């Protein structure tokens, strides 16, 4: 077993710059929904994954499996999913394998969910009644928003809820490490609808492994209006209780 990017651990002095660099990588991350065609070198992708794999996991189980798609492999998958997405007859056949969201929504979660949706559509000039344009925008997911790199993440089915927690930490590391390199991402549960197609295309043994999520990776298109979406967060005092 290798120990990627782990050692030696040199204690660096905490400086305003070191804090700013990490905070900036975290806080400048946002979901990007239009990418430039500029390729990302394979070494950079490997670096990001190597650094991200320093994520903690219960008893160091490292439950992540990453499928890195570029070039024709990515394009063929995009074509297959788009064909299914645009065929109403296939809608029933493609359902997510796990519930990402609650079956019944309550406030405040539903309010936040609606707000981000309408904020995005508002930027794009998509009105509430314009189902056709919503369908087109939703379909942008399956083109990886034109990103040059598509990531598909899978996990062994035997792993439990705790490992999904570990997985989230890994995913966040991928996104933050990408940001540190001037790259951007969009995590995408939308791909879960097409887990059959994706597993078949990527040769994933679907009896053993299941899809967790997809992700676009690349250079953000600075001219795209959808990339100006800034989502809100509750203030710390709203979600944290300090008990002295
Ligand atoms: C696991 C996960 C799955 C997501 N799936 C999608 C998706 O399928 N399509 C999409 O456009 N955004 C997706 N998002 C992005 C969220 O909408 C976004 O993180 C949220 O609105 C906060 O905005 P921010 O990422 O810009 O901070 C997903 C986010 C996460 C963490």
């Amino acid at each position: 077993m290798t120990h990627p990017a782990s050692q030696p651990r040199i204690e660096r002095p905490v400086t305003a710059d070191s804090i700013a660099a990490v905070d900036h990588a975290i806080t400048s991350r946002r979901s990007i929904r239009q990418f430039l065609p500029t390729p990302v070198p394979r070494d950079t992708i490997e670096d990001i994954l190597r650094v991200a794999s320093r994520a903690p996991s219960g008893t160091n189980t490292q439950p992540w499996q990453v499928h890195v798609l570029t070039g024709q492999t990515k394009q063929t998958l995009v074509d297959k999913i788009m064909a299914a997405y645009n065929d109403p007859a296939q809608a029933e056949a493609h359902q997510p394998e796990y519930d990402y969201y609650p079956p019944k929504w309550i406030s405040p979660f539903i309010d936040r969910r609606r707000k981000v949706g309408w904020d995005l559509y508002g930027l794009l000039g998509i009105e509430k009644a314009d189902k056709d344009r919503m369908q087109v925008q939703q379909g942008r997911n399956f083109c990886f928003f034109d990103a040059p790199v598509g990531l598909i993440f899978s996990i062994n089915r035997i792993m439990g809820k705790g490992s999904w927690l570990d997985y989230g930490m890994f995913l966040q590391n991928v996104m933050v490490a990408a940001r540190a390199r001037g790259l951007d991402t969009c995590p995408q549960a939308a791909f879960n609808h097409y887990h059959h197609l994706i597993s078949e295309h990527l040769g994933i043994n679907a009896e053993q492994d299941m899809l967790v999520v997809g992700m676009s990776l690349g250079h953000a298109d600075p001219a795209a209006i959808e990339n100006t979406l800034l989502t809100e967060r509750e203030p710390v005092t709203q979600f944290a209780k300090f008990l002295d």
Side-chain angles (χ1 to χ4, degrees):
M1 176 165 296
T2 56
H3 301 273
S6 65
Q7 50 192 274
R9 181 179 151 121
I10 303 162
E11 288 301 338
R12 297 193 178 160
V14 175
T15 63
D17 279 354
S18 70
I19 295 171
V22 175
D23 286 1
H24 181 264
I26 294 172
T27 58
S28 69
R29 185 215 57 78
R30 59 173 104 147
S31 297
I32 288 299
R33 297 186 177 88
Q34 181 62 54
F35 290 82
L36 297 172
T38 318
V40 180
R42 177 173 171 152
D43 282 356
T44 305
I45 306 172
E46 283 191 28
D47 270 354
I48 290 170
L49 295 176
R50 188 177 304 113
V51 169
S53 75
R54 295 309 307 177
S57 56
T59 59
N60 202 22
T61 40
Q62 306 169 63
W64 36 83
Q65 279 293 325
V66 190
H67 312 263
V68 182
L69 314 186
T70 55
Q72 197 52 51
T73 307
K74 177 172 73 76
Q75 193 51 50
T76 308
L77 181 65
V78 167
D79 294 344
K80 284 183 183 173
I81 298 179
M82 286 307 284
Y85 179 68
N86 287 318
D87 178 3
Q90 291 199 42
E92 279 302 304
H94 298 288
Q95 297 295 332
E97 221 187 337
Y98 70 91
D99 291 332
Y100 185 88
Y101 295 113
K104 194 168 177 292
W105 284 96
I106 56 166
S107 223
F109 311 112
I110 183 64
D111 313 312
R112 295 174 186 157
R113 173 178 169 80
R114 286 196 179 124
K115 176 162 175 31
V116 74
W118 292 124
D119 283 355
L120 176 63
Y121 288 148
L123 280 173
L124 291 161
I126 301 176
E127 310 223 340
K128 287 192 182 183
D130 198 343
K131 302 282 181 238
D132 289 348
R133 284 195 64 202
M134 283 181 198
Q135 164 86 2
V136 170
Q137 179 56 30
Q138 178 62 9
R140 300 284 303 132
N141 270 289
F142 307 120
C143 304
F144 292 98
F145 300 111
D146 298 337
V149 184
L151 303 172
I152 297 289
F153 299 89
S154 62
I155 189 169
N156 192 300
R157 290 179 185 278
I158 68 148
M159 304 308 266
K161 262 189 192 165
S163 299
W164 285 69
L165 202 62
D166 305 337
Y167 220 120
M169 300 181 204
F170 172 72
L171 293 170
Q172 172 72 353
N173 272 0
V174 170
M175 295 188 278
V176 172
R179 214 50 295 281
R181 290 159 177 78
L183 295 167
D184 274 287
T185 52
C186 186
Q188 292 168 262
F191 282 106
N192 295 344
H193 283 264
Y194 297 99
H195 61 95
H196 287 309
L197 276 182
I198 296 171
S199 292
E200 190 190 75
H201 184 66
L202 302 183
I204 294 172
N205 175 358
E207 278 180 24
Q208 178 189 284
D209 297 325
M210 67 184 282
L211 238 69
V212 175
V213 79
M215 188 183 289
S216 301
L217 169 71
H219 296 266
D221 180 349
I225 188 80
E226 54 270 56
N227 290 344
T228 63
L229 178 67
L230 251 190
T231 54
E232 294 177 352
R233 295 296 188 273
E234 296 296 319
V236 172
T237 48
Q238 202 60 37
F239 64 81
K241 230 182 237 172
F242 291 78
L243 308 161
D244 193 1

